[in-house]
């Protein structure tokens, strides 16, 4: 099994969210990436939230989507580039608000997620477990008492060291 990578650009408009979601699904299917119903749901939701944030809050005429699949290590990464330097911040919506939960959902569904600032914009990304992956590790205590090393063979806890991450 090999690692697959593809990038594509879409106009920054509301229809981009559905088009991007379909394109991500189609790419993963063309690579014969193993997906079960839960993983498809997670990929659709995470892709929608990443693209929705870029369409709603970014600047510029287009967004670029990166799709990476590594079936051997049971991982997929979805990333969205936009030309706004503003870093997304998780919302604190009231119970009756209709929006503001996207990054909170991504944080719950993704193995890891983060932002990579680039000159002229940023990449916002999320790493998703593919079927066959080990269970998500338990959250670390807020007081920092956990001192477990990262899993063997996982540099920096399995997260790219250059990325500004949120877990």
């Amino acid at each position: 099994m090999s690692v697959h990578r593809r990038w594509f650009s879409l106009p920054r408009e509301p229809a981009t969210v559905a088009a991007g979601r379909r394109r991500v699904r189609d790419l993963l299917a063309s690579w014969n990436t193993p997906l079960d119903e839960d993983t498809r749901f997670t990929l659709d939701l995470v892709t929608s939230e990443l693209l929705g944030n870029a369409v709603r809050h970014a600047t510029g005429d287009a967004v670029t989507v990166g799709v990476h699949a590594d079936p051997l290590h049971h991982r997929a990464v979805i990333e969205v580039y936009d030309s706004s330097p503003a870093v997304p911040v998780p919302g604190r919506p009231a119970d009756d608000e209709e929006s503001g939960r996207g990054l909170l959902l991504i944080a719950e569904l993704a193995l890891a997620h983060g932002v990579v600032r680039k000159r002229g914009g940023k990449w916002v990304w999320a790493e998703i477990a593919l079927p066959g992956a080990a269970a998500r590790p338990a959250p670390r205590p807020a007081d920092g008492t956990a001192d477990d090393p990262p899993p063997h063979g996982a540099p920096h806890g399995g997260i790219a060291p250059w990325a500004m991450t949120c877990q």
Side-chain angles (χ1 to χ4, degrees):
M1 293 185 174
S2 60
V3 175
H4 302 279
R5 293 182 175 90
R6 183 79 45 92
W7 291 267
F8 58 93
S9 292
L10 295 167
R12 195 178 65 81
E13 58 189 32
T16 287
V17 176
R21 198 172 44 238
R22 279 190 304 274
R23 185 84 182 265
V24 167
R25 259 190 255 128
D26 291 347
L27 282 171
L28 292 169
S30 74
W31 298 332
N32 296 314
T33 306
L35 299 176
D36 57 22
E37 187 176 339
D38 288 342
T39 307
R40 271 191 287 280
F41 176 80
T42 298
L43 284 163
D44 279 354
L45 183 59
V46 167
T47 300
S48 295
E49 292 299 335
L50 292 174
L51 278 168
N53 283 343
V55 166
R56 256 182 245 99
H57 303 293
T59 58
D61 296 331
V63 295
T64 300
V65 179
V67 183
H68 312 271
D70 183 355
L72 181 63
H73 295 101
H74 310 287
R75 300 287 187 264
V77 175
I78 309 299
E79 55 190 15
V80 175
Y81 175 82
D82 66 62
S83 58
S84 171
V87 174
V89 177
R92 292 183 176 259
D95 290 344
D96 59 347
E97 286 188 65
E98 293 183 13
S99 64
R101 293 171 179 80
L103 290 176
L104 300 172
L105 288 169
I106 291 170
E108 285 300 313
L109 295 171
L111 294 170
H113 68 287
V115 177
V116 179
R117 292 181 186 210
K118 296 294 211 174
R119 190 174 68 193
K122 66 185 169 301
W123 287 99
V124 182
W125 60 272
E127 181 180 1
I128 306 300
L130 295 175
R136 183 179 182 162
R140 295 199 178 272
D143 65 5
T145 57
D147 216 326
D148 298 336
H152 178 68
H156 307 283
I159 300 166
W162 43 261
M164 183 172 121
T165 61
C166 310
Q167 284 188 324

